[in-house]
Amino acid sequence: MPTEVVQFYTLTRFPTRWTRPIFTAPVSAGSPFPVVDYVDGRIDLNKHLIRNYAATYFVRVSGDSMTGAGIHDGDILVVDRSVEASDGKVVVARVDDEFVVKRLIERDGKVLLAPENDAYEELEIGERHDFEIWGVVTSVIHSL
């Protein structure tokens, strides 16, 4: 199924300040690492996920056409309308009456929306399309 936007979320009017501990020691993905008290402070995910608070929103996606970009069915995307949509960026776009998530490609004077899954084809945006970019995807939030 092509990757589509199924739900929009806006930020609350005032940013939350919910911080969690951050550890300075590396976390091993191989052999166990000795446990020592390495808490170095606190991290606020708003500061890491949101660059421009007023221009940022979240969307939940449906489909598998963007799995090569690390975007999976049910993921939540952080989208920033203030980031310039340029060649190679992953964007949320409205094509006619549908919202999609695709990689923006500018090639030979043409605008293409490209999937990140070989089972799907690029969509060439032409005059017959009502087309608008709604923002650039800056982060992906998904569960393991």
Side-chain angles (χ1 to χ4, degrees):
M1 169 186 349
T3 304
E4 300 176 343
V5 174
V6 294
Q7 196 166 11
F8 284 84
Y9 302 95
T10 58
L11 296 171
T12 59
R13 186 168 179 200
F14 301 101
T16 58
R17 296 229 176 248
W18 189 62
T19 61
R20 304 304 307 150
I22 187 166
F23 297 86
T24 57
V27 177
S28 175
S31 300
F33 192 85
V35 178
V36 182
D37 188 11
Y38 282 104
V39 174
D40 188 46
R42 303 192 74 74
I43 185 170
D44 181 353
L45 292 178
N46 288 315
K47 290 180 181 177
H48 293 277
L49 295 176
I50 301 169
R51 297 177 191 159
N52 183 335
Y53 192 83
T56 300
Y57 64 94
F58 300 94
V59 296
R60 184 175 301 276
V61 298
S62 173
D64 64 355
S65 69
M66 293 300 289
T67 56
I71 299 172
H72 302 275
D73 187 55
D75 284 354
I76 295 174
L77 307 180
V78 181
V79 183
D80 189 335
R81 291 184 63 102
S82 70
V83 175
E84 181 181 348
S86 58
D87 184 52
K89 299 277 189 182
V90 175
V91 299
V92 171
R94 183 182 51 77
V95 181
D96 300 324
D97 295 329
E98 218 175 292
F99 286 97
V100 297
V101 178
K102 297 286 181 268
R103 189 166 303 278
L104 180 67
I105 305 293
E106 298 168 335
R107 184 184 313 141
D108 301 324
K110 297 178 182 178
V111 174
L112 306 166
L113 294 178
E116 293 282 333
N117 181 332
D118 291 338
Y120 299 92
E121 295 183 12
E122 295 176 337
L123 172 64
E124 183 178 335
I125 302 300
E127 291 182 16
R128 71 182 195 282
H129 291 107
D130 184 15
F131 172 70
E132 181 181 8
I133 294 177
W134 276 50
V136 173
V137 176
T138 57
S139 297
V140 180
I141 302 170
H142 69 258
S143 300
L144 297 178

